[in-house]
């Protein structure tokens, strides 16, 4: 697995890239099926109604089948405006998926460093 985690000061974004063994269709499911998103990202499914609104929440704002998904992300406990998390997927010759996650803020707002910036990114496998 090849990976990279960086903070791009020019665009105020956090970028994580790696190659996944799963094909883009399987990764796509993990990013777009509410129950799988909930399990993978440890957030309530977008269609769940919950009395607890103190944690992170997301909504899908862009979806290009098997190649890109973009969430508007809001962490109510941080009292910050929403940011955006974009997942770009690219099929690899011989199988697998090149995976790129970009977490970006609105113009003029900085995002803190990746929680796992001292080690390679950790991701659960797609269901």
């Amino acid at each position: 697995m090849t990976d990279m985690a960086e903070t791009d000061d020019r665009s105020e974004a956090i970028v994580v890239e790696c190659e996944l063994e799963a094909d883009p269709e399987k990764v796509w499911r993990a990013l777009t099926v509410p129950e799988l998103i909930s399990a993978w990202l440890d957030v309530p499914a977008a269609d769940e109604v919950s009395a607890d609104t103190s944690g992170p929440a997301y909504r899908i704002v862009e979806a290009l089948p098997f190649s890109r998904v973009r969430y508007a992300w809001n962490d109510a406990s941080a009292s910050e405006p929403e940011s955006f998390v974009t997942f770009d997927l690219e099929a690899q010759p011989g199988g697998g998926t090149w995976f790129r996650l970009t977490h970006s803020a609105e113009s003029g707002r900085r995002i803190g460093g990746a929680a796992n910036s001292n080690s390679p990114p950790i991701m659960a496998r797609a269901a």
Side-chain angles (χ1 to χ4, degrees), residues 8-28:
D8 183 341
D9 291 327
R10 290 168 285 133
S11 67
E12 305 296 330
I14 296 171
V15 177
V16 178
E17 296 179 308
C18 64
E19 187 170 343
L20 302 175
E21 292 179 11
D23 60 33
E25 291 80 8
K26 192 170 192 176
V27 178
W28 174 260

mmCIF file of all heavy atoms in Angstrom, residues 8-28:
data_model
loop_
_atom_site.group_PDB
_atom_site.id
_atom_site.type_symbol
_atom_site.label_atom_id
_atom_site.label_comp_id
_atom_site.label_asym_id
_atom_site.label_seq_id
_atom_site.Cartn_x
_atom_site.Cartn_y
_atom_site.Cartn_z
ATOM 1 N N ASP A 8 -1.881 20.845 2.737
ATOM 2 C CA ASP A 8 -1.493 21.721 1.647
ATOM 3 C C ASP A 8 -1.807 23.152 2.074
ATOM 4 O O ASP A 8 -2.955 23.564 2.095
ATOM 5 C CB ASP A 8 -2.276 21.342 0.389
ATOM 6 C CG ASP A 8 -1.883 22.155 -0.826
ATOM 7 O OD1 ASP A 8 -1.281 23.230 -0.669
ATOM 8 O OD2 ASP A 8 -2.201 21.699 -1.930
ATOM 9 N N ASP A 9 -0.760 23.924 2.444
ATOM 10 C CA ASP A 9 -0.966 25.279 2.936
ATOM 11 C C ASP A 9 -1.578 26.189 1.893
ATOM 12 O O ASP A 9 -2.238 27.153 2.217
ATOM 13 C CB ASP A 9 0.361 25.871 3.420
ATOM 14 C CG ASP A 9 0.846 25.177 4.679
ATOM 15 O OD1 ASP A 9 -0.009 24.755 5.472
ATOM 16 O OD2 ASP A 9 2.069 25.053 4.854
ATOM 17 N N ARG A 10 -1.347 25.921 0.610
ATOM 18 C CA ARG A 10 -1.886 26.782 -0.431
ATOM 19 C C ARG A 10 -3.391 26.688 -0.503
ATOM 20 O O ARG A 10 -4.073 27.671 -0.681
ATOM 21 C CB ARG A 10 -1.268 26.442 -1.790
ATOM 22 C CG ARG A 10 0.192 26.837 -1.878
ATOM 23 C CD ARG A 10 0.857 26.248 -3.092
ATOM 24 N NE ARG A 10 1.072 24.823 -2.831
ATOM 25 C CZ ARG A 10 0.772 23.853 -3.688
ATOM 26 N NH1 ARG A 10 0.295 24.120 -4.859
ATOM 27 N NH2 ARG A 10 0.984 22.608 -3.364
ATOM 28 N N SER A 11 -3.950 25.511 -0.365
ATOM 29 C CA SER A 11 -5.393 25.355 -0.505
ATOM 30 C C SER A 11 -6.092 25.145 0.832
ATOM 31 O O SER A 11 -7.292 24.974 0.866
ATOM 32 C CB SER A 11 -5.702 24.171 -1.428
ATOM 33 O OG SER A 11 -5.296 22.970 -0.802
ATOM 34 N N GLU A 12 -5.330 25.157 1.949
ATOM 35 C CA GLU A 12 -5.923 24.949 3.265
ATOM 36 C C GLU A 12 -6.669 23.625 3.332
ATOM 37 O O GLU A 12 -7.748 23.542 3.897
ATOM 38 C CB GLU A 12 -6.854 26.109 3.638
ATOM 39 C CG GLU A 12 -6.215 27.466 3.580
ATOM 40 C CD GLU A 12 -5.092 27.655 4.591
ATOM 41 O OE1 GLU A 12 -5.150 27.026 5.656
ATOM 42 O OE2 GLU A 12 -4.160 28.390 4.297
ATOM 43 N N ALA A 13 -6.112 22.584 2.738
ATOM 44 C CA ALA A 13 -6.776 21.278 2.682
ATOM 45 C C ALA A 13 -5.883 20.204 3.280
ATOM 46 O O ALA A 13 -4.663 20.319 3.269
ATOM 47 C CB ALA A 13 -7.115 20.926 1.247
ATOM 48 N N ILE A 14 -6.510 19.167 3.780
ATOM 49 C CA ILE A 14 -5.807 17.961 4.203
ATOM 50 C C ILE A 14 -6.050 16.927 3.119
ATOM 51 O O ILE A 14 -7.190 16.713 2.703
ATOM 52 C CB ILE A 14 -6.340 17.452 5.553
ATOM 53 C CG1 ILE A 14 -6.045 18.481 6.645
ATOM 54 C CG2 ILE A 14 -5.733 16.101 5.894
ATOM 55 C CD1 ILE A 14 -6.713 18.177 7.958
ATOM 56 N N VAL A 15 -4.977 16.298 2.639
ATOM 57 C CA VAL A 15 -5.079 15.320 1.561
ATOM 58 C C VAL A 15 -4.463 14.007 2.030
ATOM 59 O O VAL A 15 -3.360 13.993 2.570
ATOM 60 C CB VAL A 15 -4.352 15.816 0.290
ATOM 61 C CG1 VAL A 15 -4.408 14.765 -0.806
ATOM 62 C CG2 VAL A 15 -4.948 17.128 -0.184
ATOM 63 N N VAL A 16 -5.192 12.909 1.820
ATOM 64 C CA VAL A 16 -4.688 11.575 2.118
ATOM 65 C C VAL A 16 -4.904 10.730 0.870
ATOM 66 O O VAL A 16 -6.005 10.705 0.326
ATOM 67 C CB VAL A 16 -5.427 10.932 3.319
ATOM 68 C CG1 VAL A 16 -4.927 9.523 3.574
ATOM 69 C CG2 VAL A 16 -5.278 11.796 4.562
ATOM 70 N N GLU A 17 -3.854 10.069 0.414
ATOM 71 C CA GLU A 17 -3.947 9.207 -0.767
ATOM 72 C C GLU A 17 -3.399 7.830 -0.436
ATOM 73 O O GLU A 17 -2.438 7.715 0.322
ATOM 74 C CB GLU A 17 -3.131 9.787 -1.921
ATOM 75 C CG GLU A 17 -3.625 11.114 -2.418
ATOM 76 C CD GLU A 17 -2.756 11.648 -3.541
ATOM 77 O OE1 GLU A 17 -1.528 11.715 -3.356
ATOM 78 O OE2 GLU A 17 -3.308 11.967 -4.601
ATOM 79 N N CYS A 18 -4.008 6.824 -1.012
ATOM 80 C CA CYS A 18 -3.500 5.466 -0.859
ATOM 81 C C CYS A 18 -4.127 4.560 -1.917
ATOM 82 O O CYS A 18 -5.081 4.945 -2.582
ATOM 83 C CB CYS A 18 -3.778 4.916 0.537
ATOM 84 S SG CYS A 18 -5.514 4.714 0.935
ATOM 85 N N GLU A 19 -3.574 3.383 -2.075
ATOM 86 C CA GLU A 19 -4.141 2.398 -2.977
ATOM 87 C C GLU A 19 -4.868 1.362 -2.134
ATOM 88 O O GLU A 19 -4.315 0.856 -1.160
ATOM 89 C CB GLU A 19 -3.042 1.740 -3.808
ATOM 90 C CG GLU A 19 -3.607 0.837 -4.877
ATOM 91 C CD GLU A 19 -2.544 0.378 -5.869
ATOM 92 O OE1 GLU A 19 -1.467 0.989 -5.928
ATOM 93 O OE2 GLU A 19 -2.811 -0.614 -6.559
ATOM 94 N N LEU A 20 -6.115 1.097 -2.487
ATOM 95 C CA LEU A 20 -6.934 0.103 -1.798
ATOM 96 C C LEU A 20 -7.024 -1.151 -2.653
ATOM 97 O O LEU A 20 -7.030 -1.065 -3.880
ATOM 98 C CB LEU A 20 -8.343 0.654 -1.539
ATOM 99 C CG LEU A 20 -8.422 1.943 -0.723
ATOM 100 C CD1 LEU A 20 -9.870 2.430 -0.660
ATOM 101 C CD2 LEU A 20 -7.877 1.729 0.677
ATOM 102 N N GLU A 21 -7.126 -2.299 -2.012
ATOM 103 C CA GLU A 21 -7.233 -3.558 -2.753
ATOM 104 C C GLU A 21 -8.600 -3.747 -3.390
ATOM 105 O O GLU A 21 -8.734 -4.451 -4.378
ATOM 106 C CB GLU A 21 -6.918 -4.733 -1.819
ATOM 107 C CG GLU A 21 -5.475 -4.767 -1.380
ATOM 108 C CD GLU A 21 -5.177 -5.921 -0.441
ATOM 109 O OE1 GLU A 21 -6.031 -6.822 -0.294
ATOM 110 O OE2 GLU A 21 -4.087 -5.913 0.133
ATOM 111 N N ALA A 22 -9.624 -3.110 -2.841
ATOM 112 C CA ALA A 22 -10.993 -3.264 -3.355
ATOM 113 C C ALA A 22 -11.165 -2.498 -4.663
ATOM 114 O O ALA A 22 -10.507 -1.500 -4.910
ATOM 115 C CB ALA A 22 -11.987 -2.746 -2.324
ATOM 116 N N ASP A 23 -12.092 -2.983 -5.505
ATOM 117 C CA ASP A 23 -12.365 -2.285 -6.768
ATOM 118 C C ASP A 23 -13.208 -1.028 -6.490
ATOM 119 O O ASP A 23 -13.811 -0.901 -5.429
ATOM 120 C CB ASP A 23 -13.038 -3.206 -7.776
ATOM 121 C CG ASP A 23 -14.377 -3.756 -7.309
ATOM 122 O OD1 ASP A 23 -15.105 -3.053 -6.588
ATOM 123 O OD2 ASP A 23 -14.701 -4.886 -7.679
ATOM 124 N N PRO A 24 -13.230 -0.064 -7.433
ATOM 125 C CA PRO A 24 -13.961 1.186 -7.206
ATOM 126 C C PRO A 24 -15.442 0.996 -6.872
ATOM 127 O O PRO A 24 -15.998 1.761 -6.091
ATOM 128 C CB PRO A 24 -13.799 1.949 -8.530
ATOM 129 C CG PRO A 24 -12.537 1.426 -9.113
ATOM 130 C CD PRO A 24 -12.501 -0.032 -8.711
ATOM 131 N N GLU A 25 -16.081 -0.015 -7.425
ATOM 132 C CA GLU A 25 -17.498 -0.253 -7.153
ATOM 133 C C GLU A 25 -17.722 -0.570 -5.674
ATOM 134 O O GLU A 25 -18.684 -0.118 -5.058
ATOM 135 C CB GLU A 25 -18.045 -1.377 -8.039
ATOM 136 C CG GLU A 25 -18.133 -1.003 -9.510
ATOM 137 C CD GLU A 25 -16.792 -1.088 -10.264
ATOM 138 O OE1 GLU A 25 -15.788 -1.586 -9.701
ATOM 139 O OE2 GLU A 25 -16.758 -0.627 -11.417
ATOM 140 N N LYS A 26 -16.823 -1.351 -5.094
ATOM 141 C CA LYS A 26 -16.940 -1.724 -3.683
ATOM 142 C C LYS A 26 -16.657 -0.522 -2.779
ATOM 143 O O LYS A 26 -17.358 -0.287 -1.797
ATOM 144 C CB LYS A 26 -15.983 -2.872 -3.373
ATOM 145 C CG LYS A 26 -16.227 -3.517 -2.039
ATOM 146 C CD LYS A 26 -15.406 -4.784 -1.915
ATOM 147 C CE LYS A 26 -15.849 -5.590 -0.723
ATOM 148 N NZ LYS A 26 -15.128 -6.863 -0.632
ATOM 149 N N VAL A 27 -15.643 0.258 -3.114
ATOM 150 C CA VAL A 27 -15.329 1.455 -2.340
ATOM 151 C C VAL A 27 -16.492 2.444 -2.454
ATOM 152 O O VAL A 27 -16.895 3.071 -1.466
ATOM 153 C CB VAL A 27 -14.005 2.090 -2.812
ATOM 154 C CG1 VAL A 27 -13.716 3.370 -2.028
ATOM 155 C CG2 VAL A 27 -12.838 1.106 -2.669
ATOM 156 N N TRP A 28 -17.048 2.575 -3.648
ATOM 157 C CA TRP A 28 -18.200 3.458 -3.886
ATOM 158 C C TRP A 28 -19.349 3.110 -2.940
ATOM 159 O O TRP A 28 -19.956 3.991 -2.336
ATOM 160 C CB TRP A 28 -18.633 3.344 -5.344
ATOM 161 C CG TRP A 28 -19.890 4.087 -5.669
ATOM 162 C CD1 TRP A 28 -21.151 3.566 -5.783
ATOM 163 C CD2 TRP A 28 -20.025 5.483 -5.914
ATOM 164 N NE1 TRP A 28 -22.049 4.553 -6.087
ATOM 165 C CE2 TRP A 28 -21.383 5.747 -6.174
ATOM 166 C CE3 TRP A 28 -19.122 6.542 -5.941
ATOM 167 C CZ2 TRP A 28 -21.863 7.021 -6.452
ATOM 168 C CZ3 TRP A 28 -19.602 7.807 -6.226
ATOM 169 C CH2 TRP A 28 -20.960 8.031 -6.472
#
